[in-house]
Amino acid sequence: MTDAPLQTSPLHERHLALGAKMADFSGWQMPIEYPGGGVVREHTAVRERVGIFDVSHLGKASVTGQGAVEFVNSCLANDLHRIEVGKAQYTLCCTQDGGVVDDLIAYLEADDDVFLIPNAANTAEVCRLLAEAAPEGISVENRHDEFGIIAVQGHRSKDVLESLGLPTGHDYMSFVAADWQGRPVIVCRTGYTGEQGYELVPRWNDTAELWDALTEAIAPYQGLPCGLGSRDTLRTEMGYALHGHELSLEITPVQARVGWAVGWKKDTFWGKEALEAERAEKKTPLSRGLKVTGRGIPRAGCEVKDADGAVVGTVTSGTFSPTLKEGIGLALLDRAVSEGDEVVVDVRGRDVAATVVKPPFVEVQVRED
Amino acid sequence: MSDLDYPQDLRYTAEHEWVRDQGDGVARVGITAFAQDALGDVVYVSLPSVGDTIAVGDACGEVESTKSVSDLYAPLAGEVVGVNEGLDAAPEQINTDPYGEGWMYDVKLADPDATEELLDVEAYRAQLG
Protein backbone atom coordinates (compact mmCIF):
# COMPACT_ATOMS: atom_id res chain seq x y z
CA MET A 1 0.00 0.00 0.00
CA THR A 2 1.14 3.52 -0.68
CA ASP A 3 0.33 6.75 1.13
CA ALA A 4 -1.38 8.17 -1.93
CA PRO A 5 -4.32 10.40 -1.01
CA LEU A 6 -7.67 8.63 -0.96
CA GLN A 7 -9.76 8.92 -4.08
CA THR A 8 -13.21 10.36 -3.71
CA SER A 9 -16.49 9.62 -5.42
CA PRO A 10 -18.45 12.19 -7.46
CA LEU A 11 -20.83 12.24 -4.46
CA HIS A 12 -18.16 13.06 -1.90
CA GLU A 13 -19.56 16.51 -1.14
CA ARG A 14 -23.03 15.03 -0.76
CA HIS A 15 -21.79 12.51 1.81
CA LEU A 16 -19.98 15.17 3.79
CA ALA A 17 -23.05 17.43 3.73
CA LEU A 18 -25.14 14.53 5.09
CA GLY A 19 -22.57 14.00 7.86
CA ALA A 20 -21.78 10.43 6.76
CA LYS A 21 -19.15 8.44 8.60
CA MET A 22 -16.46 7.97 5.99
CA ALA A 23 -13.85 5.23 5.73
CA ASP A 24 -11.17 3.97 3.41
CA PHE A 25 -12.46 1.30 1.03
CA SER A 26 -9.64 0.06 -1.18
CA GLY A 27 -8.13 3.51 -1.50
CA TRP A 28 -11.48 5.29 -1.83
CA GLN A 29 -13.00 7.43 0.87
CA MET A 30 -16.59 6.18 1.02
CA PRO A 31 -19.56 6.40 3.41
CA ILE A 32 -20.04 3.59 5.96
CA GLU A 33 -23.29 4.92 7.37
CA TYR A 34 -25.33 8.08 7.60
CA PRO A 35 -26.68 9.97 10.62
CA GLY A 36 -30.34 9.15 11.21
CA GLY A 37 -29.65 5.74 9.70
CA GLY A 38 -26.92 3.49 11.00
CA VAL A 39 -26.21 0.00 9.70
CA VAL A 40 -29.33 -1.67 11.11
CA ARG A 41 -31.82 0.97 9.96
CA GLU A 42 -30.23 1.28 6.53
CA HIS A 43 -30.21 -2.51 6.19
CA THR A 44 -33.88 -2.71 7.17
CA ALA A 45 -34.81 0.08 4.74
CA VAL A 46 -33.46 -2.06 1.88
CA ARG A 47 -35.09 -5.30 3.10
CA GLU A 48 -38.47 -3.63 3.63
CA ARG A 49 -38.56 -0.60 1.31
CA VAL A 50 -35.68 0.92 -0.63
CA GLY A 51 -32.19 2.31 -0.14
CA ILE A 52 -29.64 4.06 -2.36
CA PHE A 53 -25.92 3.36 -2.22
CA ASP A 54 -23.01 5.22 -3.73
CA VAL A 55 -20.80 2.49 -5.19
CA SER A 56 -18.85 4.75 -7.52
CA HIS A 57 -15.63 3.29 -6.13
CA LEU A 58 -16.33 0.13 -8.16
CA GLY A 59 -14.20 -0.13 -11.26
CA LYS A 60 -15.33 0.38 -14.83
CA ALA A 61 -13.46 -0.89 -17.85
CA SER A 62 -14.16 -1.56 -21.50
CA VAL A 63 -12.74 -4.23 -23.74
CA THR A 64 -13.44 -3.31 -27.34
CA GLY A 65 -12.48 -4.27 -30.85
CA GLN A 66 -13.29 -7.07 -33.24
CA GLY A 67 -13.39 -10.36 -31.35
CA ALA A 68 -13.64 -8.66 -27.93
CA VAL A 69 -16.20 -11.17 -26.65
CA GLU A 70 -14.10 -14.16 -27.71
CA PHE A 71 -11.03 -12.59 -26.17
CA VAL A 72 -12.70 -11.89 -22.80
CA ASN A 73 -14.23 -15.37 -22.90
CA SER A 74 -10.77 -16.89 -23.26
CA CYS A 75 -9.58 -15.04 -20.13
CA LEU A 76 -12.41 -14.74 -17.60
CA ALA A 77 -13.97 -17.87 -16.11
CA ASN A 78 -17.69 -17.66 -16.88
CA ASP A 79 -18.97 -18.36 -20.38
CA LEU A 80 -20.18 -15.25 -22.19
CA HIS A 81 -21.99 -17.51 -24.66
CA ARG A 82 -24.48 -18.22 -21.89
CA ILE A 83 -25.80 -14.66 -22.28
CA GLU A 84 -26.87 -12.41 -25.12
CA VAL A 85 -26.25 -8.73 -25.84
CA GLY A 86 -27.97 -6.61 -23.20
CA LYS A 87 -27.30 -9.11 -20.41
CA ALA A 88 -24.78 -9.10 -17.63
CA GLN A 89 -22.93 -11.98 -16.02
CA TYR A 90 -21.07 -12.62 -12.77
CA THR A 91 -17.61 -13.87 -13.63
CA LEU A 92 -14.12 -14.38 -12.21
CA CYS A 93 -10.64 -13.35 -13.20
CA CYS A 94 -8.34 -16.15 -12.07
CA THR A 95 -4.62 -16.76 -12.10
CA GLN A 96 -3.20 -19.84 -13.84
CA ASP A 97 -3.11 -21.41 -10.33
CA GLY A 98 -6.85 -20.94 -9.96
CA GLY A 99 -6.56 -18.17 -7.38
CA VAL A 100 -8.94 -15.26 -7.85
CA VAL A 101 -7.58 -11.86 -8.91
CA ASP A 102 -11.12 -10.51 -8.80
CA ASP A 103 -14.79 -11.32 -9.15
CA LEU A 104 -16.61 -8.95 -11.44
CA ILE A 105 -19.68 -8.33 -13.58
CA ALA A 106 -19.33 -8.44 -17.37
CA TYR A 107 -21.91 -6.53 -19.43
CA LEU A 108 -22.30 -7.72 -23.00
CA GLU A 109 -22.75 -4.46 -24.90
CA ALA A 110 -22.08 -5.80 -28.39
CA ASP A 111 -20.02 -8.50 -30.09
CA ASP A 112 -17.08 -6.13 -30.05
CA ASP A 113 -17.72 -4.44 -26.69
CA VAL A 114 -17.65 -5.86 -23.16
CA PHE A 115 -18.06 -3.51 -20.19
CA LEU A 116 -16.61 -4.70 -16.87
CA ILE A 117 -17.32 -3.69 -13.29
CA PRO A 118 -14.49 -5.10 -11.14
CA ASN A 119 -13.87 -4.34 -7.46
CA ALA A 120 -12.22 -0.99 -6.74
CA ALA A 121 -8.98 -2.46 -5.43
CA ASN A 122 -8.54 -4.90 -8.32
CA THR A 123 -9.53 -2.81 -11.34
CA ALA A 124 -6.00 -1.79 -12.29
CA GLU A 125 -4.75 -5.38 -12.05
CA VAL A 126 -7.66 -6.83 -14.07
CA CYS A 127 -7.05 -4.18 -16.75
CA ARG A 128 -3.33 -4.87 -16.73
CA LEU A 129 -3.79 -8.63 -17.15
CA LEU A 130 -6.33 -8.21 -19.94
CA ALA A 131 -4.25 -5.57 -21.74
CA GLU A 132 -1.17 -7.79 -21.53
CA ALA A 133 -3.05 -10.69 -23.08
CA ALA A 134 -4.99 -8.68 -25.66
CA PRO A 135 -4.15 -9.39 -29.30
CA GLU A 136 -3.72 -6.68 -31.90
CA GLY A 137 -6.98 -4.83 -32.51
CA ILE A 138 -8.45 -5.29 -29.06
CA SER A 139 -8.10 -2.50 -26.55
CA VAL A 140 -8.60 -2.52 -22.81
CA GLU A 141 -9.48 0.78 -21.23
CA ASN A 142 -9.65 1.52 -17.51
CA ARG A 143 -12.58 3.95 -17.19
CA HIS A 144 -12.70 4.18 -13.38
CA ASP A 145 -13.25 7.96 -13.30
CA GLU A 146 -15.61 8.22 -16.29
CA PHE A 147 -18.73 6.93 -14.53
CA GLY A 148 -20.37 6.96 -11.14
CA ILE A 149 -22.50 4.05 -9.90
CA ILE A 150 -25.58 4.34 -7.70
CA ALA A 151 -27.32 1.19 -6.49
CA VAL A 152 -31.06 1.46 -5.85
CA GLN A 153 -32.06 -1.63 -3.89
CA GLY A 154 -35.27 -2.89 -2.30
CA HIS A 155 -38.73 -3.80 -3.61
CA ARG A 156 -39.66 -0.11 -3.97
CA SER A 157 -36.71 0.45 -6.32
CA LYS A 158 -39.01 -0.02 -9.29
CA ASP A 159 -41.34 2.75 -8.11
CA VAL A 160 -38.37 5.02 -7.48
CA LEU A 161 -36.94 4.53 -10.96
CA GLU A 162 -40.35 4.95 -12.57
CA SER A 163 -40.81 8.28 -10.82
CA LEU A 164 -37.58 9.41 -12.50
CA GLY A 165 -38.77 8.14 -15.87
CA LEU A 166 -36.13 5.41 -15.96
CA PRO A 167 -36.85 1.97 -17.45
CA THR A 168 -37.61 -0.87 -15.01
CA GLY A 169 -39.21 -3.68 -16.97
CA HIS A 170 -36.09 -5.60 -17.94
CA ASP A 171 -35.11 -8.96 -16.45
CA TYR A 172 -32.72 -9.67 -13.62
CA MET A 173 -29.09 -9.43 -14.83
CA SER A 174 -29.95 -7.37 -17.89
CA PHE A 175 -29.35 -3.70 -18.64
CA VAL A 176 -30.61 -0.95 -20.91
CA ALA A 177 -29.15 2.36 -22.01
CA ALA A 178 -31.55 5.11 -20.95
CA ASP A 179 -31.85 8.85 -21.14
CA TRP A 180 -32.42 10.85 -17.97
CA GLN A 181 -33.09 14.52 -18.67
CA GLY A 182 -30.82 14.45 -21.66
CA ARG A 183 -28.09 12.53 -19.87
CA PRO A 184 -27.12 8.94 -20.64
CA VAL A 185 -27.60 6.45 -17.80
CA ILE A 186 -27.16 2.69 -18.00
CA VAL A 187 -29.83 0.96 -15.91
CA CYS A 188 -28.69 -2.49 -14.79
CA ARG A 189 -30.97 -4.90 -12.99
CA THR A 190 -28.20 -6.00 -10.64
CA GLY A 191 -27.14 -5.54 -7.05
CA TYR A 192 -25.44 -7.07 -4.05
CA THR A 193 -28.25 -7.10 -1.51
CA GLY A 194 -30.49 -9.99 -2.53
CA GLU A 195 -33.41 -7.62 -3.07
CA GLN A 196 -35.00 -6.53 -6.31
CA GLY A 197 -32.88 -3.61 -7.41
CA TYR A 198 -30.95 -1.67 -9.98
CA GLU A 199 -27.49 -0.27 -10.42
CA LEU A 200 -27.39 3.01 -12.34
CA VAL A 201 -24.27 4.00 -14.24
CA PRO A 202 -24.32 7.71 -15.11
CA ARG A 203 -21.41 9.73 -16.37
CA TRP A 204 -19.16 10.91 -13.54
CA ASN A 205 -20.28 14.52 -13.78
CA ASP A 206 -23.98 13.64 -13.87
CA THR A 207 -23.82 11.42 -10.79
CA ALA A 208 -24.50 14.08 -8.16
CA GLU A 209 -27.65 15.36 -9.89
CA LEU A 210 -28.95 11.82 -10.29
CA TRP A 211 -28.27 11.18 -6.60
CA ASP A 212 -30.19 14.33 -5.67
CA ALA A 213 -33.17 13.21 -7.77
CA LEU A 214 -33.05 9.73 -6.21
CA THR A 215 -32.85 11.21 -2.70
CA GLU A 216 -36.13 13.02 -3.39
CA ALA A 217 -37.69 10.01 -5.10
CA ILE A 218 -37.08 7.61 -2.19
CA ALA A 219 -38.64 9.96 0.38
CA PRO A 220 -42.28 8.90 -0.23
CA TYR A 221 -41.23 5.30 0.46
CA GLN A 222 -39.24 6.12 3.61
CA GLY A 223 -36.13 5.09 1.73
CA LEU A 224 -32.68 5.90 3.08
CA PRO A 225 -29.24 6.67 1.74
CA CYS A 226 -27.25 3.61 2.75
CA GLY A 227 -23.56 3.24 3.44
CA LEU A 228 -21.20 0.42 2.67
CA GLY A 229 -21.71 -0.91 6.23
CA SER A 230 -25.23 -2.07 5.44
CA ARG A 231 -24.17 -3.20 1.98
CA ASP A 232 -21.88 -5.66 3.75
CA THR A 233 -24.51 -6.97 6.19
CA LEU A 234 -26.98 -7.30 3.29
CA ARG A 235 -24.56 -9.30 1.14
CA THR A 236 -23.49 -11.48 4.07
CA GLU A 237 -27.13 -12.43 4.73
CA MET A 238 -27.24 -13.58 1.10
CA GLY A 239 -23.99 -15.51 1.40
CA TYR A 240 -22.53 -13.53 -1.50
CA ALA A 241 -18.77 -13.74 -1.75
CA LEU A 242 -16.64 -10.66 -1.14
CA HIS A 243 -13.21 -10.61 -2.73
CA GLY A 244 -10.52 -10.63 -0.06
CA HIS A 245 -12.78 -12.72 2.19
CA GLU A 246 -14.55 -15.63 0.45
CA LEU A 247 -12.43 -15.33 -2.71
CA SER A 248 -8.76 -14.43 -2.97
CA LEU A 249 -5.53 -15.41 -4.64
CA GLU A 250 -5.52 -18.30 -2.12
CA ILE A 251 -9.24 -19.14 -2.13
CA THR A 252 -10.37 -20.52 -5.50
CA PRO A 253 -13.87 -20.51 -7.04
CA VAL A 254 -14.07 -24.25 -6.27
CA GLN A 255 -13.52 -23.59 -2.56
CA ALA A 256 -15.83 -20.57 -2.57
CA ARG A 257 -18.48 -22.71 -4.32
CA VAL A 258 -18.98 -20.30 -7.17
CA GLY A 259 -18.32 -23.00 -9.74
CA TRP A 260 -21.66 -22.01 -11.31
CA ALA A 261 -19.80 -18.90 -12.54
CA VAL A 262 -17.14 -20.99 -14.27
CA GLY A 263 -17.55 -22.06 -17.90
CA TRP A 264 -16.15 -25.55 -17.37
CA LYS A 265 -16.91 -26.59 -20.94
CA LYS A 266 -14.97 -23.73 -22.52
CA ASP A 267 -11.74 -24.61 -24.32
CA THR A 268 -9.77 -22.19 -22.24
CA PHE A 269 -9.86 -19.56 -19.51
CA TRP A 270 -7.26 -18.45 -16.99
CA GLY A 271 -6.78 -21.12 -14.36
CA LYS A 272 -8.78 -23.81 -16.17
CA GLU A 273 -6.35 -26.72 -15.67
CA ALA A 274 -5.69 -25.96 -12.01
CA LEU A 275 -9.39 -25.53 -11.23
CA GLU A 276 -10.39 -28.69 -13.09
CA ALA A 277 -7.82 -30.67 -11.12
CA GLU A 278 -8.96 -29.19 -7.82
CA ARG A 279 -12.60 -29.82 -8.66
CA ALA A 280 -11.89 -33.47 -9.52
CA GLU A 281 -9.78 -34.12 -6.41
CA LYS A 282 -12.47 -32.93 -3.99
CA LYS A 283 -9.95 -32.32 -1.25
CA THR A 284 -9.76 -28.60 -0.65
CA PRO A 285 -12.03 -26.92 1.93
CA LEU A 286 -15.41 -25.46 1.01
CA SER A 287 -17.21 -22.26 1.91
CA ARG A 288 -20.30 -22.79 4.05
CA GLY A 289 -22.67 -20.76 6.14
CA LEU A 290 -22.62 -20.59 9.94
CA LYS A 291 -25.65 -19.70 11.99
CA VAL A 292 -24.88 -18.94 15.61
CA THR A 293 -27.01 -20.85 18.10
CA GLY A 294 -25.29 -19.46 21.18
CA ARG A 295 -24.57 -15.82 21.83
CA GLY A 296 -21.91 -13.96 19.90
CA ILE A 297 -20.87 -12.85 16.46
CA PRO A 298 -18.34 -14.71 14.33
CA ARG A 299 -15.77 -12.45 12.71
CA ALA A 300 -13.34 -12.96 9.84
CA GLY A 301 -10.31 -14.88 11.07
CA CYS A 302 -12.06 -16.73 13.92
CA GLU A 303 -11.21 -20.45 14.04
CA VAL A 304 -13.99 -23.00 13.68
CA LYS A 305 -13.76 -26.23 15.69
CA ASP A 306 -15.72 -29.49 15.60
CA ALA A 307 -17.39 -31.15 18.58
CA ASP A 308 -14.04 -32.66 19.63
CA GLY A 309 -12.30 -29.29 19.59
CA ALA A 310 -10.28 -29.98 16.43
CA VAL A 311 -9.87 -26.97 14.15
CA VAL A 312 -11.86 -27.54 10.95
CA GLY A 313 -11.66 -24.13 9.32
CA THR A 314 -11.76 -20.35 9.51
CA VAL A 315 -14.47 -17.72 9.34
CA THR A 316 -14.08 -15.58 6.20
CA SER A 317 -16.91 -13.09 6.93
CA GLY A 318 -19.16 -12.69 9.92
CA THR A 319 -21.63 -10.21 11.21
CA PHE A 320 -24.77 -9.66 13.18
CA SER A 321 -27.73 -10.29 10.89
CA PRO A 322 -30.09 -7.34 11.29
CA THR A 323 -32.89 -9.44 9.75
CA LEU A 324 -32.45 -12.57 11.88
CA LYS A 325 -31.07 -10.69 14.88
CA GLU A 326 -28.34 -13.25 15.42
CA GLY A 327 -24.76 -13.90 14.46
CA ILE A 328 -24.09 -15.33 10.99
CA GLY A 329 -20.94 -16.08 9.10
CA LEU A 330 -19.30 -17.64 6.08
CA ALA A 331 -16.44 -20.01 6.74
CA LEU A 332 -13.97 -22.08 4.77
CA LEU A 333 -14.38 -25.57 6.26
CA ASP A 334 -12.78 -28.99 5.75
CA ARG A 335 -14.65 -31.33 3.41
CA ALA A 336 -15.53 -33.61 6.33
CA VAL A 337 -17.83 -30.92 7.70
CA SER A 338 -21.31 -30.86 6.22
CA GLU A 339 -24.57 -28.99 6.51
CA GLY A 340 -26.37 -29.56 9.76
CA ASP A 341 -23.17 -30.18 11.73
CA GLU A 342 -22.80 -28.45 15.06
CA VAL A 343 -19.52 -26.56 15.37
CA VAL A 344 -17.92 -24.06 17.72
CA VAL A 345 -16.50 -20.70 16.68
CA ASP A 346 -13.61 -19.38 18.74
CA VAL A 347 -14.67 -15.74 19.16
CA ARG A 348 -11.73 -14.10 20.90
CA GLY A 349 -11.20 -17.07 23.19
CA ARG A 350 -14.89 -17.70 23.85
CA ASP A 351 -16.60 -20.74 22.36
CA VAL A 352 -19.73 -19.77 20.46
CA ALA A 353 -21.94 -22.62 19.22
CA ALA A 354 -23.07 -22.54 15.59
CA THR A 355 -24.75 -24.76 13.02
CA VAL A 356 -23.35 -25.29 9.53
CA VAL A 357 -25.99 -24.17 7.02
CA LYS A 358 -26.44 -23.49 3.33
CA PRO A 359 -26.71 -19.77 2.56
CA PRO A 360 -28.63 -17.59 1.91
CA PHE A 361 -29.61 -16.80 5.48
CA VAL A 362 -32.51 -14.67 4.25
CA GLU A 363 -34.73 -15.41 1.24
CA VAL A 364 -33.46 -14.00 -2.06
CA GLN A 365 -35.86 -11.58 -3.74
CA VAL A 366 -33.87 -10.43 -6.78
CA ARG A 367 -36.30 -11.83 -9.34
CA GLU A 368 -39.46 -10.58 -7.66
CA ASP A 369 -41.68 -8.26 -9.61
CA MET B 1 -18.82 15.34 17.40
CA SER B 2 -20.07 18.63 18.82
CA ASP B 3 -23.68 17.46 19.01
CA LEU B 4 -22.84 14.58 21.34
CA ASP B 5 -23.69 15.03 24.97
CA TYR B 6 -21.30 14.69 27.96
CA PRO B 7 -23.08 15.30 31.27
CA GLN B 8 -21.30 17.59 33.75
CA ASP B 9 -21.87 15.37 36.76
CA LEU B 10 -20.02 12.34 35.39
CA ARG B 11 -16.37 11.31 35.38
CA TYR B 12 -14.72 9.89 32.26
CA THR B 13 -11.81 7.76 31.09
CA ALA B 14 -9.58 7.97 28.03
CA GLU B 15 -11.16 4.64 26.98
CA HIS B 16 -14.49 6.47 26.57
CA GLU B 17 -16.24 5.15 29.62
CA TRP B 18 -18.27 7.22 32.06
CA VAL B 19 -18.60 6.75 35.79
CA ARG B 20 -21.39 8.07 37.99
CA ASP B 21 -20.98 8.22 41.78
CA GLN B 22 -24.16 6.55 43.10
CA GLY B 23 -23.32 7.22 46.76
CA ASP B 24 -22.54 4.57 49.39
CA GLY B 25 -19.23 3.88 47.67
CA VAL B 26 -20.92 2.50 44.55
CA ALA B 27 -20.15 3.77 41.04
CA ARG B 28 -22.11 3.10 37.87
CA VAL B 29 -20.19 2.51 34.61
CA GLY B 30 -21.17 2.89 30.96
CA ILE B 31 -19.70 4.07 27.66
CA THR B 32 -19.86 7.63 26.39
CA ALA B 33 -21.85 9.15 23.56
CA PHE B 34 -18.60 9.35 21.61
CA ALA B 35 -17.97 5.62 22.06
CA GLN B 36 -21.45 4.53 21.03
CA ASP B 37 -21.36 6.84 18.02
CA ALA B 38 -17.98 5.48 16.94
CA LEU B 39 -19.14 1.87 17.36
CA GLY B 40 -22.40 2.30 15.48
CA ASP B 41 -25.40 0.08 16.19
CA VAL B 42 -24.59 -1.98 19.28
CA VAL B 43 -25.88 -5.53 18.86
CA TYR B 44 -24.22 -7.50 21.64
CA VAL B 45 -22.83 -6.77 25.08
CA SER B 46 -20.87 -9.02 27.37
CA LEU B 47 -20.64 -7.75 30.95
CA PRO B 48 -18.84 -8.90 34.10
CA SER B 49 -20.90 -10.94 36.58
CA VAL B 50 -22.18 -9.80 39.94
CA GLY B 51 -19.56 -10.77 42.51
CA ASP B 52 -16.59 -10.39 40.13
CA THR B 53 -13.64 -8.47 41.50
CA ILE B 54 -12.17 -6.10 38.95
CA ALA B 55 -8.97 -4.07 38.89
CA VAL B 56 -8.32 -0.85 36.98
CA GLY B 57 -7.59 -1.64 33.34
CA ASP B 58 -9.01 -5.17 33.41
CA ALA B 59 -10.74 -6.17 30.20
CA CYS B 60 -14.00 -7.11 31.90
CA GLY B 61 -16.44 -7.23 28.99
CA GLU B 62 -17.11 -6.50 25.34
CA VAL B 63 -19.39 -4.28 23.39
CA GLU B 64 -19.99 -5.27 19.80
CA SER B 65 -21.62 -3.45 16.93
CA THR B 66 -22.51 -4.62 13.43
CA LYS B 67 -19.05 -3.46 12.39
CA SER B 68 -16.63 -4.08 15.22
CA VAL B 69 -15.99 -5.17 18.76
CA SER B 70 -14.37 -3.28 21.64
CA ASP B 71 -13.21 -4.43 25.04
CA LEU B 72 -14.61 -2.79 28.13
CA TYR B 73 -11.82 -1.78 30.50
CA ALA B 74 -12.59 -1.46 34.18
CA PRO B 75 -12.16 2.23 35.09
CA LEU B 76 -12.18 1.48 38.82
CA ALA B 77 -11.25 -1.32 41.21
CA GLY B 78 -13.83 -3.08 43.31
CA GLU B 79 -16.58 -5.67 43.31
CA VAL B 80 -19.31 -5.80 40.70
CA VAL B 81 -22.61 -5.46 42.59
CA GLY B 82 -25.05 -5.02 39.73
CA VAL B 83 -25.25 -5.44 35.95
CA ASN B 84 -27.77 -4.08 33.48
CA GLU B 85 -29.46 -7.28 32.37
CA GLY B 86 -31.80 -5.28 30.13
CA LEU B 87 -28.93 -4.90 27.66
CA ASP B 88 -29.16 -8.61 26.77
CA ALA B 89 -32.49 -8.08 25.06
CA ALA B 90 -32.05 -4.43 24.14
CA PRO B 91 -28.37 -3.60 23.53
CA GLU B 92 -29.45 -0.68 21.34
CA GLN B 93 -30.16 1.24 24.55
CA ILE B 94 -26.41 1.92 24.60
CA ASN B 95 -26.93 3.96 21.42
CA THR B 96 -30.19 5.63 22.33
CA ASP B 97 -29.53 6.40 26.01
CA PRO B 98 -25.86 5.82 26.84
CA TYR B 99 -25.99 7.57 30.22
CA GLY B 100 -29.38 6.21 31.30
CA GLU B 101 -30.94 2.92 30.18
CA GLY B 102 -27.66 2.04 28.49
CA TRP B 103 -25.69 1.81 31.77
CA MET B 104 -23.55 -1.33 32.09
CA TYR B 105 -22.61 -2.28 35.64
CA ASP B 106 -22.24 -1.02 39.24
CA VAL B 107 -19.01 -1.36 41.20
CA LYS B 108 -18.60 -1.28 44.98
CA LEU B 109 -15.38 0.70 45.08
CA ALA B 110 -12.26 -0.61 46.76
CA ASP B 111 -11.35 3.05 47.30
CA PRO B 112 -14.46 5.22 47.74
CA ASP B 113 -12.59 8.31 46.46
CA ALA B 114 -11.26 6.64 43.34
CA THR B 115 -13.72 8.38 41.01
CA GLU B 116 -11.98 11.68 41.80
CA GLU B 117 -8.92 10.42 39.93
CA LEU B 118 -10.81 10.15 36.65
CA LEU B 119 -11.25 12.85 34.00
CA ASP B 120 -13.84 15.55 34.51
CA VAL B 121 -15.98 16.58 31.57
CA GLU B 122 -13.64 19.39 30.45
CA ALA B 123 -10.62 17.09 30.51
CA TYR B 124 -12.54 14.39 28.63
CA ARG B 125 -13.76 16.82 25.99
CA ALA B 126 -10.22 18.17 25.64
CA GLN B 127 -8.84 14.74 24.87
CA LEU B 128 -11.56 14.14 22.30
CA GLY B 129 -9.91 17.05 20.50
Side-chain angles (χ1 to χ4, degrees), chain B:
Chain B
M1 294 297 135
S2 54
D3 55 340
L4 297 173
D5 181 39
Y6 305 102
Q8 280 289 339
D9 60 327
L10 303 183
R11 293 285 177 155
Y12 298 89
T13 73
E15 284 77 38
H16 309 292
E17 284 155 324
W18 58 260
V19 169
R20 178 182 287 127
D21 190 341
Q22 304 277 86
D24 297 330
V26 173
R28 178 158 284 187
V29 179
I31 65 168
T32 67
F34 174 86
Q36 67 78 21
D37 184 67
L39 277 165
D41 293 327
V42 174
V43 294
Y44 177 71
V45 188
S46 163
L47 297 174
S49 304
V50 171
D52 283 359
T53 301
I54 54 175
V56 175
D58 278 0
C60 61
E62 286 177 349
V63 55
E64 188 154 12
S65 71
T66 49
K67 292 174 297 200
S68 63
V69 58
S70 295
D71 282 318
L72 294 173
Y73 295 102
L76 299 160
E79 183 190 342
V80 176
V81 293
V83 298
N84 184 356
E85 286 169 3
L87 294 179
D88 263 4
E92 66 276 9
Q93 291 179 128
I94 291 168
N95 295 114
T96 56
D97 190 10
Y99 305 108
E101 295 295 322
W103 70 280
M104 292 182 165
Y105 59 95
D106 288 333
V107 190
K108 178 80 179 171
L109 300 174
D111 168 8
D113 298 326
T115 55
E116 299 299 314
E117 314 276 311
L118 302 177
L119 303 174
D120 63 17
V121 67
E122 284 76 24
Y124 179 63
R125 276 184 182 278
Q127 68 105 45
L128 288 179

Side-chain angles (χ1 to χ4, degrees), chain A residues 165-281:
Chain A
L166 290 170
T168 58
H170 44 304
D171 290 339
Y172 180 58
M173 294 303 283
S174 64
F175 63 98
V176 293
D179 175 280
W180 178 68
Q181 300 187 349
R183 303 169 177 95
V185 177
I186 303 165
V187 180
C188 311
R189 178 97 186 263
T190 48
Y192 197 43
T193 64
E195 296 299 320
Q196 183 183 346
Y198 301 86
E199 287 172 311
L200 309 181
V201 186
R203 290 180 305 203
W204 186 270
N205 290 331
D206 296 334
T207 310
E209 277 162 277
L210 182 58
W211 174 265
D212 292 344
L214 287 166
T215 302
E216 278 183 37
I218 60 174
Y221 306 106
Q222 287 81 49
L224 289 177
C226 299
L228 299 183
S230 56
R231 191 165 183 260
D232 192 56
T233 53
L234 287 158
R235 74 93 193 166
T236 305
E237 283 188 345
M238 286 301 122
Y240 292 159
L242 172 64
H243 191 266
H245 289 255
E246 285 69 43
L247 292 164
S248 69
L249 288 172
E250 287 76 39
I251 308 176
T252 67
V254 173
Q255 294 168 43
R257 298 170 94 193
V258 289
W260 56 269
V262 175
W264 296 106
K265 292 179 181 156
K266 293 199 296 182
D267 290 340
T268 184
F269 60 87
W270 293 339
K272 183 170 192 255
E273 287 74 23
L275 289 171
E276 277 177 343
E278 186 188 14
R279 188 182 183 217
E281 274 184 11

